[in-house]
Amino acid sequence: MTPEERRTAEILRTIARDERIKEAVRTSPLLYPLLLTAAKRYVTGETRADAIKIAQRLEKMGYHLSMEHIGENTLDSQIVHEAQREFLALTADCSQLHTPVGISFDLSHLGLLLDKGLAFSHVEELAERARHSGHYLMISMEESTKTEAIISMYERLAQRHENVGITIQAHLHRSLDDVKRVLRLPGKIRLVKGAFKEPQEIALGRSVELNERYLELADMCVRAGRECSLATHDQAIVDELDGRDYLHRPNVEVELLYGVRPELAHALREKGVPVRLYLTYGTEWYLYLCHRLAEHPPHVHQAIADMFDTARLQDVGYGMS
């Protein structure tokens, strides 16, 4: 990134967490529909039906899928229970698909910040439902202040449910030790760089050093024979993983966010690499949009164009119309 792009990314990550701006967007009859249009490049829609419709089309094209009802940091018990019911319904609706789906979620969406016991019981119920339908759960990673609580809960869950996986953020300095911890357990590991703004004493910034850290952690997971999802849009990392002959190993897949680098997804699929696309839906899309734009600030121009020319969204690059 250029210095200007880094500054833009920093601003986007800051406003993503500004509740005043989020509320202003949510209640504005002008801003809400405009920004929702921009978000639809990365979010399948606001309803489960929107997500399932796109999922069915992508599955027919040969992609594997992860799906998430967006939400996090929920402090209202009613909303937590509503989220649980939505995830149960999503798990049931995934029976319309023919390959195993990764049901992804933030633990803070299911009650982690209210009652850890409640969150644990919610995930246990989801794990059982998913097991019966042939799907699996993938716990997402959140800000570093929650990392220990998330890893600890995963350790408890994975001892009881083999279809529960965990996400590791390579940028955190602690992640080398965290990978060693989770490699003792049976679930899938999803490796990401990390999207959250963190202080330098806790995490690496985007850099060559971070790429090297990501490859080191990927090497640990792949060589351990663990089922792993290498989630990255970074061409340099993808090329290095390919050069190490990791992408055709039976325990490895590449995971990409819906709407981000669809041309890479297509190219990898054409080469016979298993590609999983991460589909999101729901009304809590504001933070998600900010993070996608922060990862590649030039996409701000694309977002503005999308707002005023919705025809641009009819085909996000997967051959869909």
mmCIF file of all heavy atoms in Angstrom, residues 9 40 47 95 165 171 193 203 216 238:
data_model
loop_
_atom_site.group_PDB
_atom_site.id
_atom_site.type_symbol
_atom_site.label_atom_id
_atom_site.label_comp_id
_atom_site.label_asym_id
_atom_site.label_seq_id
_atom_site.Cartn_x
_atom_site.Cartn_y
_atom_site.Cartn_z
ATOM 1 N N ALA A 9 -6.938 3.107 4.878
ATOM 2 C CA ALA A 9 -7.285 1.851 5.545
ATOM 3 C C ALA A 9 -7.453 2.056 7.049
ATOM 4 O O ALA A 9 -8.375 1.516 7.669
ATOM 5 C CB ALA A 9 -6.214 0.801 5.270
ATOM 6 N N LYS A 40 -23.308 -4.972 -1.281
ATOM 7 C CA LYS A 40 -23.759 -6.177 -1.984
ATOM 8 C C LYS A 40 -22.713 -6.758 -2.931
ATOM 9 O O LYS A 40 -22.915 -7.851 -3.464
ATOM 10 C CB LYS A 40 -25.068 -5.888 -2.720
ATOM 11 C CG LYS A 40 -26.266 -5.857 -1.787
ATOM 12 C CD LYS A 40 -27.574 -5.705 -2.531
ATOM 13 C CE LYS A 40 -28.753 -5.769 -1.567
ATOM 14 N NZ LYS A 40 -30.041 -5.589 -2.263
ATOM 15 N N THR A 47 -30.996 -11.316 3.817
ATOM 16 C CA THR A 47 -31.775 -12.460 4.292
ATOM 17 C C THR A 47 -31.077 -13.782 3.980
ATOM 18 O O THR A 47 -30.238 -13.876 3.080
ATOM 19 C CB THR A 47 -33.171 -12.489 3.633
ATOM 20 O OG1 THR A 47 -33.028 -12.814 2.239
ATOM 21 C CG2 THR A 47 -33.868 -11.148 3.774
ATOM 22 N N SER A 95 -29.215 -27.878 3.973
ATOM 23 C CA SER A 95 -29.543 -29.208 3.448
ATOM 24 C C SER A 95 -29.902 -29.130 1.964
ATOM 25 O O SER A 95 -29.903 -30.149 1.265
ATOM 26 C CB SER A 95 -30.701 -29.822 4.232
ATOM 27 O OG SER A 95 -31.887 -29.052 4.060
ATOM 28 N N GLY A 165 -14.310 -26.166 14.018
ATOM 29 C CA GLY A 165 -12.981 -25.661 13.684
ATOM 30 C C GLY A 165 -12.757 -24.268 14.241
ATOM 31 O O GLY A 165 -13.636 -23.648 14.825
ATOM 32 N N HIS A 171 -1.415 -12.329 12.113
ATOM 33 C CA HIS A 171 -0.729 -11.096 12.514
ATOM 34 C C HIS A 171 -0.494 -10.990 14.014
ATOM 35 O O HIS A 171 0.371 -10.235 14.456
ATOM 36 C CB HIS A 171 -1.468 -9.861 11.984
ATOM 37 C CG HIS A 171 -2.767 -9.527 12.662
ATOM 38 N ND1 HIS A 171 -3.341 -8.279 12.582
ATOM 39 C CD2 HIS A 171 -3.621 -10.261 13.416
ATOM 40 C CE1 HIS A 171 -4.477 -8.254 13.249
ATOM 41 N NE2 HIS A 171 -4.665 -9.446 13.760
ATOM 42 N N LYS A 193 -4.831 -13.612 7.657
ATOM 43 C CA LYS A 193 -3.845 -12.619 8.092
ATOM 44 C C LYS A 193 -4.332 -11.890 9.336
ATOM 45 O O LYS A 193 -3.576 -11.650 10.268
ATOM 46 C CB LYS A 193 -3.575 -11.604 6.977
ATOM 47 C CG LYS A 193 -2.586 -12.074 5.927
ATOM 48 C CD LYS A 193 -2.213 -10.924 5.004
ATOM 49 C CE LYS A 193 -1.153 -11.346 3.989
ATOM 50 N NZ LYS A 193 -0.775 -10.220 3.105
ATOM 51 N N ALA A 203 0.430 -7.098 17.493
ATOM 52 C CA ALA A 203 0.292 -7.669 16.150
ATOM 53 C C ALA A 203 1.213 -6.992 15.153
ATOM 54 O O ALA A 203 1.614 -5.834 15.321
ATOM 55 C CB ALA A 203 -1.164 -7.537 15.682
ATOM 56 N N GLU A 216 4.819 -19.431 7.642
ATOM 57 C CA GLU A 216 5.330 -20.289 8.711
ATOM 58 C C GLU A 216 4.187 -21.054 9.377
ATOM 59 O O GLU A 216 4.285 -22.272 9.614
ATOM 60 C CB GLU A 216 6.065 -19.438 9.753
ATOM 61 C CG GLU A 216 6.599 -20.236 10.934
ATOM 62 C CD GLU A 216 7.241 -19.371 11.999
ATOM 63 O OE1 GLU A 216 7.126 -18.126 11.916
ATOM 64 O OE2 GLU A 216 7.855 -19.933 12.926
ATOM 65 N N VAL A 238 -0.239 -16.911 -2.261
ATOM 66 C CA VAL A 238 -0.813 -17.999 -3.061
ATOM 67 C C VAL A 238 0.265 -18.634 -3.941
ATOM 68 O O VAL A 238 0.362 -19.872 -4.032
ATOM 69 C CB VAL A 238 -1.984 -17.489 -3.923
ATOM 70 C CG1 VAL A 238 -2.446 -18.566 -4.901
ATOM 71 C CG2 VAL A 238 -3.148 -17.047 -3.038
#
